[in-house]
Amino acid sequence: MTTRFHLLGQVRLHDGATGVRGVKPRALLVTLLLQPGHTVSLDSLQEALWDGEPPRSAVANIRTHVSALRAALAGTAQLVGRDGGYALLTSVDSCDHLRFLDASAAGRAALLTGDADRAIRLLDSALALWDGDRAAVGIPRYGPLFGALAHLDEERMRVVEDLAEAHLRLSEPRAALRDLTGLLTTEPLRGRSWALRMRAHHRLGELGEVRRVYRTASAAYRTELGITPDRELRLLYEELTGGAAPSATA
């Protein structure tokens, strides 16, 4: 199975063998890849390529970018004009983000049915498609790109958490901690991640670490939002340690 289009991390073609030069042509490629086989209107393309009011030359510029993109594709996929827009004709298997979404959904389904071994295989394969922690690095998230790329970022974080949960179900707390470390470094307000980390330390018999993790989470919530962790996290702390959760000033 050959992935031709990569947008989970750096935007590239053919494992980096062929590049798409320029931010606008890459943004055009990403916008079309998010709806492969479907016509994306010129209005949507303008919203994705320009912040606010597009220039008068926007449509002509898009045509120029389309020509450049067709040359970069070198016949590996068709970029066709259709009824006031463009469509990129390619298969699901050729797009890393679509393969990722399929594998993550299958992995989550396996986890829900109690098949942690299968969940780990699928979730690991999903994360292996990423070469960073942010989709379409370097592409401004204008218009339709904002929600679509944010969804991919969020889905990656959910997969990391699902994978940690699967490891916990197989009594592999150290693997769960490995999965969560990087995520909480960059996203310190994810309650589920903190809860999984506390559970992992509890499985290892490390009550001191459970307490430390809760204090670290509390500090993050206080610094970022001016609030304490939610009731669910506080109750988990009390369940795992047998004591009351520290106050916001503790």
Side-chain angles (χ1 to χ4, degrees):
M1 183 183 297
T2 300
T3 302
R4 295 173 178 169
F5 302 103
H6 301 261
L7 58 82
L8 301 180
Q10 298 290 336
V11 178
R12 54 194 174 88
L13 307 179
H14 325 308
D15 296 318
T18 306
V20 179
R21 296 182 179 180
V23 173
K24 287 283 193 290
R26 289 200 300 275
L28 172 66
L29 173 62
V30 171
T31 307
L32 295 170
L33 280 175
L34 289 168
Q35 299 183 62
H38 296 276
T39 302
V40 181
S41 70
L42 285 172
D43 286 344
S44 291
L45 291 174
Q46 290 180 68
E47 290 175 6
L49 268 60
W50 286 276
D51 186 19
E53 189 70 21
R56 288 187 176 182
S57 60
V59 173
N61 290 346
I62 288 173
R63 289 178 180 142
T64 298
H65 299 322
V66 166
S67 295
L69 186 53
R70 280 179 175 144
L73 292 173
T76 60
Q78 282 188 289
L79 202 176
V80 299
R82 288 179 176 171
D83 299 329
Y86 292 91
L88 184 62
L89 308 183
T90 190
S91 68
V92 169
D93 286 345
S94 70
C95 302
D96 65 348
H97 68 293
L98 297 180
R99 291 175 58 197
F100 164 73
L101 292 172
D102 283 349
S104 63
R108 188 165 300 125
L111 187 61
L112 289 172
T113 61
D115 191 345
D117 281 313
R118 175 173 166 77
I120 288 173
R121 291 194 299 273
L122 289 163
L123 297 171
D124 270 333
S125 70
L127 289 176
L129 292 166
W130 287 75
D131 64 8
D133 58 8
R134 187 173 171 84
V137 173
I139 302 300
R141 297 187 172 196
Y142 301 146
L145 292 184
F146 178 83
L149 296 179
H151 171 69
L152 289 172
D153 293 344
E154 172 63 26
E155 188 66 10
R156 186 194 68 82
M157 292 186 283
R158 287 185 65 199
V159 168
V160 172
E161 292 169 337
D162 288 338
L163 184 58
E165 183 172 328
H167 280 300
L168 282 178
R169 293 191 186 184
L170 292 180
S171 298
E172 298 171 348
R174 293 200 184 281
L177 289 172
R178 178 199 63 211
D179 297 334
L180 295 167
T181 298
L183 176 55
L184 281 171
T185 299
T186 58
E187 300 290 336
L189 300 178
R190 296 190 70 84
R192 184 186 177 199
S193 290
W194 289 116
L196 288 164
R197 191 168 179 181
M198 288 165 60
R199 288 188 184 279
H201 283 299
H202 183 262
R203 291 281 186 90
L204 291 166
E206 299 172 345
L207 288 184
E209 283 299 298
V210 174
R211 296 185 180 99
R212 186 190 65 80
V213 168
Y214 185 82
R215 288 195 299 270
T216 303
S218 295
Y221 278 89
R222 186 166 59 251
T223 299
E224 298 290 331
L225 301 176
I227 62 174
T228 58
D230 62 25
R231 181 173 180 271
E232 184 176 350
L233 201 61
R234 294 197 303 273
L235 289 176
L236 177 62
Y237 175 90
E238 293 169 3
E239 173 192 334
L240 298 180
T241 65
S247 66
T249 58

PDB file of all heavy atoms in Angstrom, residues 41 83 107 127 151 161 173 202 204 250:
ATOM      1  N   SER A  41     -15.575  24.127  -4.138  1.00  0.00           N
ATOM      2  CA  SER A  41     -15.929  25.328  -4.883  1.00  0.00           C
ATOM      3  C   SER A  41     -14.823  26.372  -4.826  1.00  0.00           C
ATOM      4  O   SER A  41     -13.992  26.387  -3.907  1.00  0.00           O
ATOM      5  CB  SER A  41     -17.221  25.940  -4.330  1.00  0.00           C
ATOM      6  OG  SER A  41     -16.991  26.497  -3.046  1.00  0.00           O
ATOM      7  N   ASP A  83     -17.530  22.476 -12.645  1.00  0.00           N
ATOM      8  CA  ASP A  83     -18.635  23.345 -12.236  1.00  0.00           C
ATOM      9  C   ASP A  83     -18.264  24.359 -11.145  1.00  0.00           C
ATOM     10  O   ASP A  83     -18.760  24.311 -10.020  1.00  0.00           O
ATOM     11  CB  ASP A  83     -19.809  22.506 -11.719  1.00  0.00           C
ATOM     12  CG  ASP A  83     -20.351  21.567 -12.788  1.00  0.00           C
ATOM     13  OD1 ASP A  83     -20.274  21.933 -13.987  1.00  0.00           O
ATOM     14  OD2 ASP A  83     -20.820  20.476 -12.425  1.00  0.00           O
ATOM     15  N   GLY A 107      -9.585   0.963  15.784  1.00  0.00           N
ATOM     16  CA  GLY A 107      -8.932   0.733  17.061  1.00  0.00           C
ATOM     17  C   GLY A 107      -9.828   1.085  18.231  1.00  0.00           C
ATOM     18  O   GLY A 107      -9.886   0.352  19.231  1.00  0.00           O
ATOM     19  N   LEU A 127      -1.061   5.970  14.624  1.00  0.00           N
ATOM     20  CA  LEU A 127      -0.091   6.986  15.043  1.00  0.00           C
ATOM     21  C   LEU A 127       1.176   6.947  14.204  1.00  0.00           C
ATOM     22  O   LEU A 127       1.844   7.970  14.025  1.00  0.00           O
ATOM     23  CB  LEU A 127       0.254   6.804  16.519  1.00  0.00           C
ATOM     24  CG  LEU A 127      -0.851   7.166  17.511  1.00  0.00           C
ATOM     25  CD1 LEU A 127      -0.408   6.847  18.936  1.00  0.00           C
ATOM     26  CD2 LEU A 127      -1.242   8.635  17.394  1.00  0.00           C
ATOM     27  N   HIS A 151      -9.645  19.074  13.754  1.00  0.00           N
ATOM     28  CA  HIS A 151     -10.247  17.761  14.011  1.00  0.00           C
ATOM     29  C   HIS A 151      -9.191  16.659  13.939  1.00  0.00           C
ATOM     30  O   HIS A 151      -9.175  15.738  14.784  1.00  0.00           O
ATOM     31  CB  HIS A 151     -11.352  17.490  12.996  1.00  0.00           C
ATOM     32  CG  HIS A 151     -11.877  16.084  13.039  1.00  0.00           C
ATOM     33  ND1 HIS A 151     -12.608  15.591  14.087  1.00  0.00           N
ATOM     34  CD2 HIS A 151     -11.728  15.045  12.159  1.00  0.00           C
ATOM     35  CE1 HIS A 151     -12.911  14.312  13.857  1.00  0.00           C
ATOM     36  NE2 HIS A 151     -12.389  13.960  12.706  1.00  0.00           N
ATOM     37  N   GLU A 161      -4.581   8.749  23.838  1.00  0.00           N
ATOM     38  CA  GLU A 161      -5.273   8.384  25.076  1.00  0.00           C
ATOM     39  C   GLU A 161      -5.893   6.996  24.985  1.00  0.00           C
ATOM     40  O   GLU A 161      -5.829   6.209  25.945  1.00  0.00           O
ATOM     41  CB  GLU A 161      -6.338   9.437  25.399  1.00  0.00           C
ATOM     42  CG  GLU A 161      -5.736  10.783  25.780  1.00  0.00           C
ATOM     43  CD  GLU A 161      -6.745  11.911  25.843  1.00  0.00           C
ATOM     44  OE1 GLU A 161      -7.810  11.799  25.194  1.00  0.00           O
ATOM     45  OE2 GLU A 161      -6.466  12.916  26.520  1.00  0.00           O
ATOM     46  N   PRO A 173       1.237  -0.575  32.575  1.00  0.00           N
ATOM     47  CA  PRO A 173       1.181   0.843  32.958  1.00  0.00           C
ATOM     48  C   PRO A 173       2.367   1.659  32.469  1.00  0.00           C
ATOM     49  O   PRO A 173       2.213   2.849  32.177  1.00  0.00           O
ATOM     50  CB  PRO A 173       1.124   0.788  34.492  1.00  0.00           C
ATOM     51  CG  PRO A 173       1.681  -0.545  34.860  1.00  0.00           C
ATOM     52  CD  PRO A 173       1.276  -1.463  33.756  1.00  0.00           C
ATOM     53  N   HIS A 202      -0.826   4.435  39.829  1.00  0.00           N
ATOM     54  CA  HIS A 202      -1.478   3.634  40.867  1.00  0.00           C
ATOM     55  C   HIS A 202      -1.240   2.144  40.616  1.00  0.00           C
ATOM     56  O   HIS A 202      -0.977   1.371  41.548  1.00  0.00           O
ATOM     57  CB  HIS A 202      -2.974   3.951  40.903  1.00  0.00           C
ATOM     58  CG  HIS A 202      -3.713   3.241  41.986  1.00  0.00           C
ATOM     59  ND1 HIS A 202      -4.432   2.084  41.767  1.00  0.00           N
ATOM     60  CD2 HIS A 202      -3.827   3.518  43.324  1.00  0.00           C
ATOM     61  CE1 HIS A 202      -4.975   1.689  42.908  1.00  0.00           C
ATOM     62  NE2 HIS A 202      -4.620   2.530  43.861  1.00  0.00           N
ATOM     63  N   LEU A 204       1.280   0.856  39.334  1.00  0.00           N
ATOM     64  CA  LEU A 204       2.675   0.585  39.675  1.00  0.00           C
ATOM     65  C   LEU A 204       2.934   0.694  41.176  1.00  0.00           C
ATOM     66  O   LEU A 204       4.068   0.505  41.623  1.00  0.00           O
ATOM     67  CB  LEU A 204       3.595   1.553  38.920  1.00  0.00           C
ATOM     68  CG  LEU A 204       3.677   1.353  37.405  1.00  0.00           C
ATOM     69  CD1 LEU A 204       4.325   2.549  36.738  1.00  0.00           C
ATOM     70  CD2 LEU A 204       4.444   0.076  37.081  1.00  0.00           C
ATOM     71  N   ALA A 250      -2.767  24.285  47.759  1.00  0.00           N
ATOM     72  CA  ALA A 250      -1.850  23.311  48.398  1.00  0.00           C
ATOM     73  C   ALA A 250      -0.616  23.080  47.549  1.00  0.00           C
ATOM     74  O   ALA A 250      -0.666  23.156  46.343  1.00  0.00           O
ATOM     75  CB  ALA A 250      -2.581  21.996  48.599  1.00  0.00           C
TER      76      ALA A 250
END
